[in-house]
Every structure is written in structure tokens, then in C-alpha cells.
Amino acid sequence: MAVLDKINYPEDLKKLPLIELKKLSQEIREVIIKVVSENGGHLSSNLGVVDLTLSLHRVFDAPKDKIIWDVGHQCYTHKIVTGRKDRIFSIRKKDGLAGFPDMKESEYDVLNTGHASTSLAFASGMAIARDNNKEDYHIVAVIGDGALTGGLALEALNHIGQVKQRLIIVLNDNKMSISPNVGGISKYLNYLASGRSYIRLKEVVQAIFNAIPGIGKNMVEATRKLLAVLRTMMVPGSFFNDLGVKYIGPIKGHDFKEMEKALQDAKKYDFPVLLHVVTEKGQGYKPAKDNPRDYHSSAPFDVANGKFIKKTNKPSYSKVFGQTVLELIREDRSIIALTAAMPGGTGLDLVQEEFPGNFYDVGIAEQYMLAFAGGLALGGRKPIISIYSTFMQRAMDQIMHDITLMDIPMVVGIDRGGLVGGDGPTHQGIYDIALLRPLPGVVLMAPKDENELRHMVYTALRLKKPVFIRYPKEPGIGVPMDKEFKELPLGKSEILREGPDGVILAVGPLVYRALEAAEKLKTLDNIDLTVVNVRYIKPLDTDSILDGMNRKKTLFNKKKRIITIEDGIRSGGLSTLVREFLATGKVKNYSILALGVPEENIGVASREELLAKYHLDAEGIYAEIKKLFKKKKETAP
Ligand SMILES: Cc1ncc(C[n+]2csc(CCOP(=O)(O)OP(=O)(O)O)c2C)c(N)n1
């Protein structure tokens, strides 16, 4: 009988002898590997924290004690042992378990997470609230070495060390963010984990004595004695201790006995402690252990050989973006490519390999990255950033205060703009248009396909302004790629189909879905529409709207029809821009159908399922427009 069969809740774990615990950890790894091989998901990180999670749930009493997972992508074992074992194969699927902690899903999920570095701030606030309420429970924040590079986490650490309330920080150090971790703190953690602080001290003391002329060699015995005393006085983790957070570690994160002893120990303190737990990403599955980056957010794969199951040979927008930046750097070395901890996901790893001097991975530091890019630009470099739409939200103040108000030139690729499958509400890229739209001087483009993306990056560099280019997480269309770059005239859209009955304005690759719908409307319903690839959401090509609306009169267009299609939040997005223009009075007697994402909390589903849900696939666009015209036809004279 599998040990997992008798585990449903944390109490069940507490009874297990060590031998069964080790067997359970193996069984859980097998489940995680199978689940991710089928559904896709965060493999490496989840395999890395199986033992840590089991230890936490054995030592603490959740849900009374609060265990907070930073980012939350590593929560699979936690979900398995907190009553969700039977649903684990539904993870990331429509109506299934969320891939991240979700308070609505379980009382064991203290916090909804997805964006990095929030755990310490929440833990700190909750600890103060607990103490104010005179309640008694433990608060444990589990944060990775990657998430600790985020400014928000460091701000929290700064405050936690000052207010000194009781809480436990478990630093899960696997030396990796998604890619190898970067920065001084990461180096410092490696130094602590290696136990080199004493060795280093020894080297320094010996070097000092040896450097004293004449007496150096004779002091060996004295040095030895001094080192013995210093060793007993040495406290590792001085950075944390000096901040006011007691450092405990390093602790072997796959050794249950050592971990549980350290966690029990941590419970005793009535001030903040940090347990430095060293784990290994991908533990238990060789392909993930050998290549933790590619299995970080993994596509489905064949368990037998670790090969990813490729659904298409069409290039992703991210890859095309990275390739384009690489080609541009070959011609112009003043270009600097920037990512905040996502070199692989953004395609900028191509630049990192060929031009490491023209590339910076700043860690999970989106705010810093934008301001840093501002500095590069003021100094005469040409920054090109790639950032996921959802994480760009973090850097909105830098975009406003530090970039657009000074009109500092840079190119920002907004990757995963629009509806994003799998990861759920925290990872949606649907707010970018609405956030950027009101900012003065900003140029915002969206390519209809991967070839146009190349021209946009090229054009953006030449505009010498803050330029944002938004593209989705889906395969490219598979169009042929132009060898030569060309400039796309600023603020000009592209008319792809002409018809007198109304005009569709579509954003990004939704243009192709709109074209498909328009063809079907013509063939089946004799509704003949103009289709415009918006290209520039800002500045918007209002001439194309006027042009599209002032065609010859037909049965359908007595009232002017305009349809906006965007996979972003409707309020504040393209539809709002168009409404604002129409409200100027230049167009009379119009009506607008705005297809986009309503203001609601989006559940977990694939991108295609979400597009269908919001009538943004070809079928949905067709049906919605047909409905609109049916209404019209009935009332037409
Ligand atoms: C603000 C923000 N930026 C980027 C990401 C993307 N991201 C998800 S997990 C991750 C790496 C986190 O590394 P670490 O905290 O060490 O956890 P590990 O996966 O190594 O366990 C990154 C960069 C994010 N979730 N949030």
C-alpha cells in the first residue's frame, strides 16, 4: 500500500515514522512528475520543496499556524497534503485546482499569490495583527532565494528587523530563480551555504600574520589559538542578524531530521528568525535536476525521456522578440537588453549568449529595471526591455514617474500581454492597455503576427520615445518573415479588408480571428465589414475609424457600426479610446460593440478557453457581430 493512500491532511503526516516519510516523499514526487507531464506546470520548484513542505506540515499546526508560500508556484505538495490529493490531476485546468495558493480553495491557503516577494510583508502585517489580538500561533513565510531579490521582500526585511515581532522566515535556497539566481545577495547566500565564512576568516587571519615581516611565520601557533577562539564567537548570517532577524543555518533541505530539528528550534524564539534551508531544484527527476530552468514552468512532456510535447513548430512571440533584438544588437552595440529574472521566458537568453556585455538580468526587480533602463538611456545607451505584462504592473510608477514624464526613450516588449492560460488570475496580462493609455507621450503598439513584431521593434528604436509593444503568449501565426526591417508609420493602422457595413478594429493576433469571422459573416450572412489591424493603440489612427464608417450606405450601415476587439480589460482599453474619440462628435449616429474582458475575476483555464469565454475567438466574434446585425436588420427600414 502506498503511504500516500493514508495521507489526506497534515495530522496524518505527523504519525509517520521516518522510513515512511521518505517513501511518501518519493511517492509525492512521482505524482507531481505525472501531473506536470500531463497538465504542464512548475516542476523543478515543486520537486525541490517536497521534503521541506512535509517537514513544515509535521512541525506546525496548519491551518491554525499560517504557512505562506511566496510566489506560490511551489505549492503542489502543500495542496496534496491539505485535503486536495484527489483533485491534484485537475491542477491548472478549467474548473480545476489553481496552480497557485487560493484562499477560496482551502483554509490552508493563507494568501493568494503569483507575483514574487509578497510573503514577508504579509507575514509581518499578520504577526502584528496577531499580537495586537493577543492570539497565539506561528506565522511562517517560505520565500525562495530568487524572490528575496525583489525589492518588496527587502523592504519587508528592513521593517521586520525593526519591529521585531515573532515570525519565522524559511529561506528556500536552491541557488536558482528561474535561471541561476543573480546579484550580491545571491552570492552572499552561496557563501553562507558553503560554510565558507569560517574558512575565509581563517585565510584572512593567516594572511595578516604572514604579512608581518620577520614574525609572520613564527606566529603560526598563536594564529591557531586565535582562530579557535574566533570560531566559537563566529555567528554566520551577520547580514540578517545585523538587520535584527536571527539567522539559523545552513540547513540541509532534504534531511528530514535536520530540518525538523531546526524548525522546532525556530518556534522557540519570540522575535523574527530566518532559517536558511538549502534545497535542490528538480530533486527526484533527472531531466529537471539537470535542467531546472526548462522545467521551471514546464510544458507537458514524456516522463520516460523528459522530451517536451511540442504542439506546434510556429515560433513564439518571445523567441521572435529575442531574435530581433539580437539582430539589432549585431548592427548597433549601444543597444542593451534587459530582463527581470526571465531570460528564457522572454527570449532574451539569445542575447545573453551572444552579447553578454549587452545584457542584464537584474533579478526579480521590475521597478529597478525600469529606472535602471532610464539611467542607461540618459547615459546614451538604447535599452530594450522585455517584461511580462502582469509583472509590469509592479513597475507602473517607474513607467509614469521615471520614464514617461521625462519622455525617456526606450523600447519595452510587453510579453504575455492579454489572456494567459494555465496560471490563473494572478498572471493575466489584461491591464496593460488600460494602464498605459492615459500616460502622456507613450507609444503603444500590438503586432498582428510575428513578422510585424520584428518591424515594430525596429520602428520603436527609431521613434526615440517610450515605446511599448504588446504581444501574447501563443504561437506565432506562422507567416513568412521579412529579411529586411521596415519602419511602420507612427500612428497608422492597416486596413486588411474592406466592406461597407461597419468596421472592426482588432488588436494583436486577434486581427486574424476577426478576419476569419468577417469572411464567415460575408459568406453566410452577407454582412460585409472592414477589418482594421489597429497596430498603434496609442496614438490611435482615428482616420481609419472615420474612413471605415463613411462608406456607401447599405441596409446595414444606416447607423454606423464599430466593433472593437481586444484581449484586455474593456474598461480603459481600446474600446474606451474609441468611445472617447466618437464622443468628440466627429461621428454621428453610431453604435459600438466592445468585445474584450469584462471586470471580473478570471478563473483558471487555457488561453483558447478564455478567448472563447469572452467571445474573442473567431467563432465568438462571428456570433456576437451576427447578433448585433440581426438586431439591426429587424429594425432597419
Ligand atoms: C514580480 C514577479 N516577477 C517575476 C516572476 C516570475 N517568477 C516566478 S517564479 C520565479 C523564480 C523564483 O525563484 P525562487 O523564489 O528562488 O523560487 P524557486 O522557483 O527557485 O523555488 C520567477 C522569476 C514572478 N512570479 N513575480
Side-chain angles (χ1 to χ4, degrees):
M1 182 186 161
V3 183
L4 186 54
D5 290 345
K6 54 182 179 185
I7 304 296
N8 290 304
Y9 286 95
E11 303 87 88
D12 307 324
L13 291 172
K14 293 182 183 174
K15 304 170 205 151
L16 292 182
L18 187 62
I19 186 152
E20 285 203 309
L21 192 62
K22 286 185 179 166
K23 190 158 176 277
L24 176 68
S25 131
Q26 235 6 73
E27 290 170 11
I28 289 180
R29 282 198 174 84
E30 278 160 29
V31 170
I32 291 174
I33 294 164
K34 192 156 188 312
V35 168
V36 179
S37 76
E38 289 171 13
N39 298 10
H42 290 94
L43 186 63
S44 318
S45 316
N46 275 296
L47 291 178
V49 295
V50 177
D51 303 333
L52 172 60
T53 311
L54 295 178
S55 299
L56 283 166
H57 277 298
R58 276 160 64 87
V59 171
F60 293 96
D61 291 321
K64 181 173 171 265
D65 291 337
K66 312 294 173 203
I67 302 174
I68 302 173
W69 298 96
D70 203 292
V71 185
H73 61 310
Q74 74 291 58
C75 64
Y76 296 7
T77 304
H78 165 79
K79 292 205 174 189
I80 290 171
V81 301
T82 53
R84 288 167 277 182
K85 179 178 72 177
D86 299 337
R87 296 173 62 206
I88 196 71
F89 278 88
S90 73
I91 203 161
R92 291 165 59 86
K93 295 261 188 217
K94 190 160 179 279
D95 305 321
L97 289 181
F100 291 83
D102 183 350
M103 292 157 89
K104 278 205 227 88
E105 206 175 275
S106 164
E107 59 178 336
Y108 289 89
D109 292 2
V110 179
L111 189 66
N112 289 12
T113 46
H115 290 197
S117 318
T118 64
S119 64
L120 302 191
F122 270 95
S124 174
M126 287 174 68
I128 290 190
R130 173 202 58 201
D131 295 348
N132 286 350
N133 293 339
K134 307 219 173 331
E135 290 167 332
D136 184 19
Y137 53 84
H138 292 285
I139 296 169
V140 186
V142 186
I143 183 166
D145 54 305
L148 192 68
T149 62
L152 178 53
L154 297 171
E155 288 166 34
L157 212 51
N158 189 41
H159 190 235
I160 287 168
Q162 184 199 333
V163 287
K164 286 203 170 301
Q165 71 274 36
R166 175 166 63 107
L167 67 86
I168 298 168
I169 300 167
V170 174
L171 171 59
N172 169 31
D173 180 7
N174 51 29
K175 298 189 172 57
M176 298 286 291
S177 188
I178 292 178
S179 294
N181 202 6
V182 294
I185 291 179
S186 164
K187 276 199 193 125
Y188 177 66
L189 294 177
N190 289 346
Y191 172 65
L192 289 181
S194 70
R196 278 198 58 81
S197 41
Y198 169 71
I199 300 166
R200 179 86 191 107
L201 175 80
K202 190 170 152 182
E203 286 164 1
V204 170
V205 172
Q206 278 175 345
I208 291 169
F209 278 98
N210 289 342
I212 301 171
I215 59 163
K217 296 251 161 26
N218 302 331
M219 295 291 283
V220 174
E221 192 46 33
T223 316
R224 202 174 287 141
K225 282 189 184 147
L226 176 64
L227 279 168
V229 175
L230 285 176
R231 183 172 206 169
T232 60
M233 288 165 54
M234 260 204 58
V235 187
S238 58
F239 169 69
F240 297 106
N241 290 318
D242 290 348
L243 279 179
V245 177
K246 182 182 170 54
Y247 174 91
I248 302 175
I251 296 145
K252 294 193 193 103
H254 300 292
D255 179 329
F256 285 110
K257 273 194 182 157
E258 187 171 323
M259 234 177 334
E260 290 183 16
K261 188 175 166 302
L263 289 168
Q264 290 291 4
D265 184 29
K267 276 178 159 184
K268 292 181 204 142
Y269 298 98
D270 60 359
F271 49 80
V273 297
L274 179 142
L275 254 69
H276 183 187
V277 178
V278 180
T279 62
E280 186 178 44
K281 251 179 155 166
Q283 251 248 0
Y285 187 58
K286 192 167 183 314
K289 196 166 145 171
D290 292 348
N291 185 2
R293 189 192 89 171
D294 287 359
Y295 292 88
H296 177 87
S297 179
S298 167
F301 59 91
D302 180 346
V303 177
N305 54 26
K307 284 209 175 107
F308 293 110
I309 297 159
K310 255 192 157 184
K311 289 208 191 107
T312 172
N313 283 325
K314 292 172 188 163
S316 68
Y317 287 89
S318 316
K319 265 267 140 40
V320 173
F321 186 88
Q323 179 63 36
T324 306
V325 178
L326 177 64
E327 287 169 36
L328 292 168
I329 293 181
R330 285 189 189 134
E331 299 302 316
D332 179 355
R333 298 293 160 80
S334 64
I335 296 170
I336 309 277
L338 302 175
T339 175
M342 319 293 288
T346 56
L348 290 180
D349 53 346
L350 295 171
V351 177
Q352 183 179 24
E353 279 154 30
E354 195 170 319
F355 294 106
N358 292 66
F359 169 87
Y360 291 97
D361 173 358
V362 298
I364 304 178
E366 289 81 6
Q367 295 172 301
Y368 170 77
M369 175 166 67
L370 268 292
F372 171 58
L376 287 170
L378 287 183
R381 304 283 97 186
K382 295 176 188 155
I384 302 187
I385 287 170
S386 178
I387 186 169
Y388 289 12
S389 176
T390 189
F391 305 139
M392 191 180 79
Q393 290 162 204
R394 276 265 161 102
M396 278 317 293
D397 188 50
Q398 282 62 44
I399 291 172
M400 291 176 186
H401 174 269
D402 301 308
I403 310 298
T404 59
L405 285 183
M406 289 182 269
D407 205 24
I408 294 183
M410 68 178 61
V411 181
V412 181
I414 311 177
D415 199 326
R416 281 125 169 102
L419 289 160
V420 175
D423 284 335
T426 54
H427 282 62
Q428 293 305 329
I430 55 177
Y431 301 101
D432 44 15
I433 300 178
L435 286 169
L436 293 171
R437 189 187 67 86
L439 304 185
V442 157
V443 175
L444 175 58
M445 309 186 208
K448 70 177 183 300
D449 54 43
E450 61 274 29
N451 187 41
E452 197 168 74
L453 172 60
R454 285 170 61 74
H455 299 312
M456 283 187 177
V457 181
Y458 176 80
T459 305
L461 259 184
R462 270 150 194 77
L463 288 174
K464 300 197 168 34
K465 293 180 72 53
V467 183
F468 295 77
I469 308 170
R470 173 198 206 252
Y471 42 91
K473 183 176 197 244
E474 66 177 22
I477 303 290
V479 293
M481 303 289 242
D482 298 333
K483 283 259 155 6
E484 296 290 314
F485 288 118
K486 65 174 182 224
E487 272 189 60
L488 303 172
L490 177 62
K492 282 277 151 243
S493 58
E494 182 191 30
I495 295 176
L496 294 170
R497 184 185 196 288
E498 296 198 58
D501 294 330
V503 56
I504 299 179
L505 301 179
V507 163
L510 297 186
V511 165
Y512 283 90
R513 290 159 170 106
L515 276 171
E516 197 183 323
E519 288 309 324
K520 196 165 160 191
L521 283 160
K522 174 77 182 116
T523 316
L524 300 184
D525 308 279
N526 206 25
I527 296 169
D528 198 4
L529 297 173
T530 293
V531 177
V532 176
N533 165 24
V534 169
R535 254 191 196 160
Y536 285 90
I537 299 167
K538 207 181 165 196
L540 187 66
D541 186 355
T542 46
D543 288 348
S544 73
I545 303 176
L546 289 174
D547 195 44
M549 291 189 144
N550 290 325
R551 292 174 186 266
K552 73 173 180 0
K553 295 266 174 294
T554 69
L555 180 63
F556 291 121
N557 75 3
K558 195 156 176 250
K559 190 166 190 181
K560 287 161 184 160
R561 296 280 174 194
I562 184 158
I563 300 117
T564 57
I565 303 181
E566 58 193 315
D567 63 338
I569 194 89
R570 263 188 316 219
S571 82
L574 173 72
S575 70
T576 304
L577 267 167
V578 171
R579 279 182 211 279
E580 281 169 2
F581 168 67
L582 294 173
T584 58
K586 292 207 175 76
V587 181
K588 300 264 182 303
N589 194 24
Y590 65 86
S591 79
I592 176 166
L593 168 68
L595 296 181
V597 182
E599 282 176 50
E600 65 177 26
N601 200 344
I602 299 174
V604 179
S606 70
R607 174 164 160 89
E608 286 309 322
E609 283 165 340
L610 291 173
L611 287 173
K613 177 175 171 190
Y614 297 118
H615 315 291
L616 293 166
D617 58 348
E619 206 42 52
I621 296 170
Y622 166 78
E624 289 301 298
I625 297 179
K626 187 174 165 176
K627 252 197 266 169
L628 176 82
F629 276 89
K630 204 163 165 217
K631 259 196 260 161
K632 173 73 188 152
K633 206 173 175 184
E634 280 159 8
T635 55

